[in-house]
Amino acid sequence: EDQVTQSPEALRLQEGESSSLNCSYTVSGLRGLFWYRQDPGKGPEFLFTLYSAGEEKEKERLKATLTKKESFLHITAPKPEDSATYLCAATGGTSYGKLTFGQGTILTVHP
Amino acid sequence: DAGVIQSPRHEVTEMGQEVTLRCKPISGHDYLFWYRQTMMRGLELLIYFNNNVPIDDSGMPEDRFSAKMPNASFSTLKIQPSEPRDSAVYFCASSLVRGGDFEQFFGPGTRLTVL
């Protein structure tokens, strides 16, 4: 059974204090590793897809990386508006659709 | 593009009543997904369709839940009869599989409360 585990459950940062979120996965034949951002009362918003170990993608202050066992979401010099829940999901085998989500990391950035 | 549209945004009903949630996917997308999100279990896939055909419904909790996709622009998730443990936020998502890309785009969700 596919499993995705995120850590920490919650992270509190000061504005400008860089850090990383972790996503460990156990997926047979990884087809894609996804990062989403979810604000309260809204649906998850797509951030990145990573397909193979060694791949990296960046968007503004966010950078996602992938190894054979885990993915990291690095946040550089965060701002209060980066506060949200960050979700990691993975799919494997021949499926395009069956995403397994982690429980998420609640990020709070204080000014 | 308007994105994925869901209705209603909020639904409060009494135990035993029938509930129907609606979804309009992004135009041109060929996959549609129904998820349920709770504090205890997080985000869980219930069922997904490809070209209007159900592909995997193994996440549907029990026979009280059913989903249909009569055409490419509309899907419903029905709960009959509803129970308090069905209270959750239900999300619809859609995607277009093109080459190696297949990211899913989520709607705003329907918050269901069963009293």
Side-chain angles (χ1 to χ4, degrees):
Chain A
E1 182 180 331
D2 295 346
Q3 287 190 333
V4 175
T5 303
Q6 291 187 245
S7 62
E9 291 185 9
L11 181 63
R12 300 166 69 93
L13 300 174
Q14 289 297 124
E15 184 172 2
E17 179 187 3
S18 300
S19 188
S20 296
L21 313 182
N22 177 265
C23 171
S24 298
Y25 64 90
T26 304
V27 174
S28 178
L30 182 72
R31 201 172 182 89
L33 187 293
F34 303 83
W35 282 98
Y36 285 84
R37 168 190 171 130
Q38 186 173 24
D39 292 298
K42 296 189 176 181
E45 175 189 347
F46 172 75
L47 293 173
F48 304 108
T49 309
L50 302 168
Y51 296 103
S52 57
E55 189 174 0
E56 299 182 352
K57 288 190 177 176
E58 288 188 68
K59 179 180 179 180
E60 296 180 357
R61 295 178 292 282
L62 301 177
K63 178 180 176 181
T65 61
L66 182 65
T67 72
K68 289 185 177 180
K69 293 183 179 181
E70 56 192 350
S71 177
F72 294 94
L73 184 65
H74 307 277
I75 303 176
T76 302
K79 298 181 177 181
E81 53 261 42
D82 294 322
S83 298
T85 296
Y86 290 85
L87 297 166
C88 170
T91 187
T94 58
S95 171
Y96 283 111
K98 202 161 187 175
L99 294 188
T100 298
F101 277 84
Q103 287 290 92
T105 293
I106 302 171
L107 174 66
T108 305
V109 182
H110 296 283
Chain B
D1 197 322
V4 176
I5 298 172
Q6 291 187 246
S7 65
R9 293 294 313 278
H10 302 273
E11 177 81 31
V12 180
T13 190
E14 292 189 348
M15 183 175 61
Q17 296 299 306
E18 177 180 298
V19 175
T20 300
L21 311 182
R22 297 172 176 81
C23 175
K24 176 179 170 56
I26 294 172
S27 178
H29 280 193
D30 53 357
Y31 281 77
L32 183 138
F33 310 85
W34 283 100
Y35 289 88
R36 178 171 68 177
Q37 187 175 41
T38 62
M39 289 293 293
M40 289 296 295
R41 299 176 66 89
L43 200 57
E44 302 174 285
L45 177 65
L46 300 176
I47 183 171
Y48 74 95
F49 297 82
N50 177 217
N51 292 324
N52 313 337
V53 176
I55 302 300
D56 189 331
D57 65 354
S58 59
M60 297 285 260
E62 46 196 276
D63 291 346
R64 298 184 297 105
F65 285 69
S66 63
K68 294 182 179 180
M69 191 166 186
N71 57 62
S73 59
F74 183 67
S75 177
T76 60
L77 178 67
K78 186 176 292 186
I79 308 172
Q80 165 65 15
S82 58
E83 297 182 3
R85 59 188 168 134
D86 301 330
S87 298
V89 181
Y90 291 81
F91 288 104
C92 176
S94 69
S95 71
L96 173 65
V97 177
R98 178 180 296 168
D101 295 326
F102 52 100
E103 50 265 22
Q104 298 180 17
F105 296 90
F106 284 74
T110 295
R111 181 173 295 277
L112 173 64
T113 303
V114 183
L115 304 174

